Amino acid sequence: MQYSTIIAQQLNLGARQVEKTIELLEQGATVPFIARYRKEATGSLDEVQITAIRDLLLRLKELDKRREAVLASIAEQGKLTPELESQIGAAATMTELEDLYLPFRPKRRTRATMAVERGLEPLANELLKQYPCDVERLAAPYVNADKGVNSVEEALAGARDIIAERVSENVQARNRVRTLFRRSAQLTSKVVKGKEEDGGKFESWFDWKEYAMRAPSHRILALFRGEEEGVLRVHVLPPDDEPAYEMLERQFVRGSSEASEQVRLAVRDGYKRLLQPSIETEYWNLLKEKADKEAIRVFAENLRQLLLASPLGQKRILAIDPGFRTGCKTVCLDAQGQLLHNETIYPFTSVREERAAIAKLEALVEAFHIEAIAIGNGTAGRETEEVVKRCRFKNKLIAVMVSESGASVYSASDVARREFPDYDVTVRGAVSIGRRLMDPLSELVKIDPKSIGVGQYQHDVNQTLLQESLQDVVVSCVNSVGVELNTASRELLSYVSGIGPALADKIVDYRNHEGPFESRRQLLKVERLGEKAFEQCAGFLRVRESANPLDRSAVHPERYALVERMAGDTGATVEQLMADKALREKIDIRQYVTADCGLPTLQDIMKELDKPGLDPRAKFEVFEFDKNVTRIEDLREGMVLPGIVTNITAFGAFVDVGVHQDGLVHVSQMANRRVNDPSEIVHLHQHVQVKVLEVDLRRRRISLSMKGLNA
């Protein structure tokens, strides 16, 4: 069966849609490009669907690669029969394939392989026939001291070991036990003896039991971490072994002869010693994989919201990285984010120094024509905000608390050293805070997404899957917003469809030597940037100063001639068409439908002509904490406070109320109805009202509620 057919069935998509999408992917097209500029080919599939096709295609190819290796291995052993070859060819999952390969897989010496070496396999085969017989008489000829079989009982035990291993490797038996696990397995955890004191953070799971299939992802990952740290002993098992014994005995045991009793003993041993641990490991891995996917989904969605947070825009910024003893690192940036000035102020060492700090801030705002102030939200953030509020600036300024998550990672990175080789990490951190206020996306792409601090158990999940998922999110966000070619950093350019780090370096080098790009087509003069790369990237890049107004929009250059034809048909220039809504309303786009340019693309073009290069991000809104609450000790039960959502997990959302410790709004406290997914209710950086339910000063935990407070 073709990949496209399998994928179409599994994803419930049209076979033709999938076939064309695979064709484009195989040609090197990126997900954003296909979703935006090849809607006719894919039937308007979105990025999520195209990504699903790409990932499933990769898994199917990996399955086929493994299938070839398995067939080669069995053939090399001389054991590949036509029936087995057919079964392996029909295996639809990696689990099915590995089950078929299990009896032929080269393995370490086991009790069964040692029994075979001692010549006991014929005895095992005779016992499996389960004819009425005297098993001791049957086993007697196999007693051979030279082979290490010293008694009849040793011979029977070795034969049972061989049968037990065959039971554990039987495909039907394994599937039956899997079904049993799926229906009844319990997830249990116990504290490791002697770890009661050290493992306090896992105290809730010192004696835990629940139905495994219903366990939420965050709990699975918490138990996984507890086991990794040696605090918990975790199992995923049916509560009783008898159903498994009975099921397997029905499959393997026939009659009630002495031989049948030997098989029954072997079946029980095979389940308890081999099959149960194997399926438990497999089932635990499945639970872990499911939990990983959910945690990665939550992380990815949080990252998307963070990257697409509202930008203040190009303003002259004074940014402060607060600190009590070490002072507040203060920088002034121009509207393009370039560093103009830096120094350190010490408003918290004495009254005199506080006055000097206020005077210095007032002078800097005046000298550098500052339009907004960015304050890091870490240690001393709220206190610094209060100092800024006491300043008397000549013009009204907004002061905004900005998340510092990952700023220290950026400060010590090669990217920061390349940008600011002559400044230390503290100055770089303050610059990053200021730039985040101007344009969160452009600044955050310089940081490893895992360091931004919006994940759940991100260090416990599959790191490869996490990296791939977060990479997809960053690429999606960058391309949905669009990138100004003449000001974008290497890091931002590297995420543009079809570019990557190497071409990003070439573009910046060209820009530095030849000056600003005057048009999109000029990109083709960049070394190693050919027609294919140009096709992929051009629509996502903007050249604001270009003589061609379409270079400022998301209209792809391959459609410029079409737009020029539209303009000509209305008796106008392209620029006039873009400026005059009345002219655009005269256009009947159905007249411009062709084999490769249908209504979806034409509708996108008209939207772009209406609002060329429109930033999809929301308008920036100023947020202020309650001025009377700056420490956790200030909180009282029943208080209603403004807050800002800083992280969303499967079990709720964390909200910053300005006390240097985020509070948790549990999923049960998010609304006056049952909520399954917190992201249905809130989004990252959303401004919300919360009610204080409980404050645990010892553990510095804050419980909050949003019920009835946010319409």
Side-chain angles (χ1 to χ4, degrees):
M1 191 182 294
Q2 287 187 333
Y3 290 145
S4 58
T5 305
I6 298 170
I7 294 171
Q9 289 175 352
Q10 292 196 24
L11 300 181
N12 196 26
L13 296 171
R16 180 67 176 164
Q17 288 178 292
V18 174
E19 188 178 330
K20 293 301 292 183
T21 302
I22 291 175
E23 187 179 310
L24 287 163
L25 289 167
E26 300 279 89
Q27 292 170 358
T30 66
V31 171
F33 175 80
I34 296 170
R36 173 76 190 185
Y37 296 114
R38 292 295 180 264
K39 291 183 176 178
E40 284 73 25
T42 69
S44 296
L45 294 180
D46 60 27
E47 286 190 12
V48 174
Q49 293 167 312
I50 296 167
T51 300
I53 292 171
R54 181 200 66 187
D55 293 347
L56 185 48
L57 176 65
L58 182 62
R59 287 201 296 275
L60 290 173
K61 286 183 174 181
E62 288 174 347
L63 177 63
D64 276 350
K65 186 177 179 181
R66 179 60 178 161
R67 195 192 317 273
E68 290 173 9
V70 166
L71 286 168
S73 175
I74 299 175
E76 190 178 332
Q77 297 172 43
K79 298 177 181 178
L80 185 61
T81 65
E83 181 185 4
L84 180 58
E85 185 174 9
S86 177
Q87 289 175 329
I88 290 172
T93 66
M94 199 69 81
T95 299
E96 288 178 43
L97 182 60
E98 295 300 340
D99 275 357
L100 290 166
Y101 183 46
L102 191 57
F104 308 97
R105 182 198 296 274
K107 53 173 78 79
R108 58 180 175 80
R109 294 184 76 220
T110 63
R111 282 164 49 172
T113 58
M114 288 187 283
V116 170
E117 290 168 2
R118 295 199 300 268
L120 297 174
E121 190 168 23
L123 176 58
N125 292 336
E126 287 300 312
L127 290 174
L128 278 169
K129 294 176 183 176
Q130 301 180 60
Y131 296 145
C133 65
D134 182 337
V135 294
E136 292 192 0
R137 181 176 296 177
L138 186 68
Y142 294 93
V143 176
N144 185 332
D146 291 340
K147 291 187 175 182
V149 183
N150 298 307
S151 66
V152 165
E153 181 48 47
E154 283 188 18
L156 290 172
R160 290 197 301 271
D161 286 342
I162 294 171
I163 295 169
E165 187 164 280
R166 290 184 185 177
V167 168
S168 74
E169 293 177 346
N170 181 274
V171 172
Q172 190 178 37
R174 293 180 73 83
N175 284 332
R176 284 175 169 167
V177 173
R178 285 189 185 102
T179 300
L180 179 66
F181 268 69
R182 188 167 59 251
R183 289 175 178 170
S184 63
Q186 292 182 337
L187 181 60
T188 63
S189 66
K190 297 279 187 182
V191 64
V192 173
K193 190 172 181 180
K195 294 289 185 177
E196 294 85 354
E197 294 297 323
D198 297 339
K201 62 182 176 181
F202 299 106
E203 186 177 352
S204 300
W205 300 290
F206 279 2
D207 187 14
W208 183 263
K209 181 189 295 183
E210 67 180 312
Y211 178 45
M213 284 298 288
R214 292 179 186 157
S217 65
H218 61 87
R219 186 141 60 239
I220 292 169
L221 292 173
L223 294 177
F224 176 81
R225 182 181 290 178
E227 187 169 57
E228 285 284 294
E229 294 185 12
V231 176
L232 301 176
R233 187 167 288 111
V234 181
H235 284 290
V236 189
L237 293 169
D240 185 3
D241 291 337
E242 283 305 317
Y245 291 150
E246 293 171 5
M247 179 176 63
L248 294 173
E249 286 171 15
R250 283 196 297 272
Q251 179 179 342
F252 292 101
V253 180
R254 299 187 301 277
S256 55
S257 66
E258 288 185 24
S260 300
E261 177 61 19
Q262 292 293 314
V263 173
R264 189 183 71 81
L265 291 173
V267 165
R268 290 192 165 226
D269 175 54
Y271 172 73
K272 194 68 178 177
R273 181 170 56 85
L274 301 171
L275 188 49
Q276 186 197 71
S278 173
I279 300 301
E280 180 185 16
T281 298
E282 182 182 297
Y283 199 71
W284 175 238
N285 289 338
L286 284 173
L287 287 177
K288 175 65 166 50
E289 183 181 344
K290 175 186 170 186
D292 281 2
K293 286 180 178 177
E294 175 60 16
I296 289 170
R297 183 195 67 78
V298 171
F299 195 152
E301 182 54 35
N302 284 351
L303 178 63
R304 179 180 298 278
Q305 293 177 16
L306 187 63
L307 293 175
L308 295 180
S310 306
L312 179 62
Q314 292 188 321
K315 305 285 185 183
R316 297 174 72 88
I317 304 290
L318 184 147
I320 306 173
D321 185 357
F324 286 118
R325 183 180 56 80
T326 57
C328 298
K329 307 305 180 289
T330 305
V331 299
C332 296
L333 310 177
D334 68 16
Q336 285 71 47
Q338 297 303 310
L339 178 61
L340 302 174
H341 176 81
N342 80 93
E343 65 179 276
T344 304
I345 58 175
Y346 298 88
F348 307 114
T349 54
S350 67
V351 173
R352 179 181 174 184
E353 287 292 341
E354 179 184 338
R355 288 174 184 159
I358 289 174
K360 174 55 69 175
L361 289 173
E362 291 171 349
L364 291 175
V365 165
E366 178 73 15
F368 293 99
H369 310 291
I370 298 299
E371 298 171 271
I373 297 176
I375 304 167
N377 70 342
T379 303
R382 289 299 306 281
E383 291 79 2
T384 301
E385 182 186 36
E386 289 304 311
V387 170
V388 169
K389 285 181 177 178
R390 289 198 286 275
C391 293
R392 296 182 178 179
F393 303 121
K394 292 183 178 179
N395 298 315
K396 188 174 182 180
L397 299 178
I398 60 167
V400 182
M401 299 292 289
V402 176
S403 172
E404 291 184 8
S405 295
S408 60
V409 175
Y410 163 78
S411 302
S413 69
D414 290 339
V415 176
R417 280 192 290 273
R418 188 167 61 239
E419 284 194 282
F420 301 104
D422 300 325
Y423 296 94
D424 65 21
V425 292
T426 59
V427 174
R428 298 170 191 161
V431 171
S432 181
I433 289 168
R435 287 177 172 177
R436 287 187 192 197
L437 177 60
M438 296 169 70
D439 188 346
L441 178 61
S442 294
E443 192 62 19
L444 291 174
V445 294
K446 300 174 184 177
I447 303 169
D448 181 347
K450 289 182 289 187
S451 302
I452 295 177
V454 291
Q456 173 192 355
Y457 295 102
Q458 62 257 41
H459 301 296
D460 299 313
V461 301
N462 183 305
Q463 294 300 295
T464 301
L465 287 179
L466 176 63
Q467 190 66 37
E468 290 172 354
S469 179
L470 299 186
Q471 178 83 3
D472 283 344
V473 170
V474 179
V475 168
S476 174
C477 291
V478 169
N479 288 283
S480 69
V481 171
V483 172
E484 169 53 42
L485 181 56
N486 284 319
T487 58
S489 65
R490 286 179 170 84
E491 292 70 37
L492 189 59
L493 284 168
S494 71
Y495 286 107
V496 173
S497 169
I499 292 184
L503 275 181
D505 283 341
K506 296 290 184 186
I507 291 171
V508 173
D509 289 345
Y510 181 92
R511 196 172 67 193
N512 290 340
H513 287 97
E514 304 296 331
F517 286 88
E518 296 177 358
S519 70
R520 280 172 168 164
R521 294 299 302 180
Q522 194 179 343
L523 273 167
L524 289 168
K525 294 182 179 180
V526 174
E527 184 185 356
R528 297 183 187 173
L529 199 155
E531 289 287 351
K532 187 63 183 179
F534 180 78
E535 176 193 62
Q536 294 295 308
C537 72
F540 303 105
L541 295 169
R542 312 281 183 266
V543 185
R544 289 196 188 95
E545 303 304 319
S546 172
N548 188 336
L550 292 176
D551 279 353
R552 307 166 210 158
S553 74
V555 176
H556 197 282
E558 66 188 5
R559 303 299 177 198
Y560 283 10
L562 174 63
V563 177
E564 288 163 3
R565 184 178 142 210
M566 287 179 175
D569 289 347
T570 61
T573 64
V574 170
E575 195 149 15
Q576 289 169 336
L577 182 64
M578 295 173 72
D580 193 334
K581 185 177 181 181
L583 282 176
R584 293 194 300 276
E585 288 176 346
K586 291 179 181 179
I587 296 173
D588 180 2
I589 60 174
R590 291 172 297 182
Q591 295 179 5
Y592 300 93
V593 172
T594 63
D596 68 336
C597 183
L599 287 175
T601 293
L602 289 165
Q603 287 165 349
D604 283 348
I605 289 172
M606 295 308 292
K607 287 178 185 175
E608 273 302 307
L609 296 180
D610 187 42
K611 294 180 179 178
L614 177 67
D615 193 324
R617 294 173 289 184
K619 186 179 178 182
F620 185 87
E621 293 181 4
V622 178
F623 174 83
E624 288 189 7
F625 292 111
D626 187 315
K627 64 181 180 180
N628 298 312
V629 175
T630 59
R631 305 174 305 147
I632 192 171
E633 290 80 7
D634 296 332
L635 297 177
R636 300 289 180 270
E637 290 182 17
M639 275 184 171
V640 175
L641 301 168
I644 188 165
V645 178
T646 58
N647 200 357
I648 302 171
T649 70
F651 53 85
F654 287 93
V655 176
D656 182 3
V657 292
V659 295
H660 308 304
Q661 179 64 53
D662 292 352
L664 172 64
V665 181
H666 189 266
V667 66
S668 62
Q669 292 293 326
M670 301 198 80
N672 291 323
R673 60 178 176 82
R674 181 182 175 83
V675 176
N676 294 317
D677 183 356
S679 63
E680 296 174 1
I681 304 296
V682 295
H683 58 78
L684 214 60
H685 283 187
Q686 181 176 341
H687 302 170
V688 295
Q689 291 286 315
V690 292
K691 182 178 182 179
V692 179
L693 295 181
E694 184 181 357
V695 181
D696 185 336
L697 291 176
R698 182 177 67 86
R699 295 192 294 177
R700 298 191 70 77
R701 291 185 178 178
I702 306 165
S703 297
L704 304 171
S705 174
M706 286 172 42
K707 283 185 174 181
L709 295 176
N710 300 276

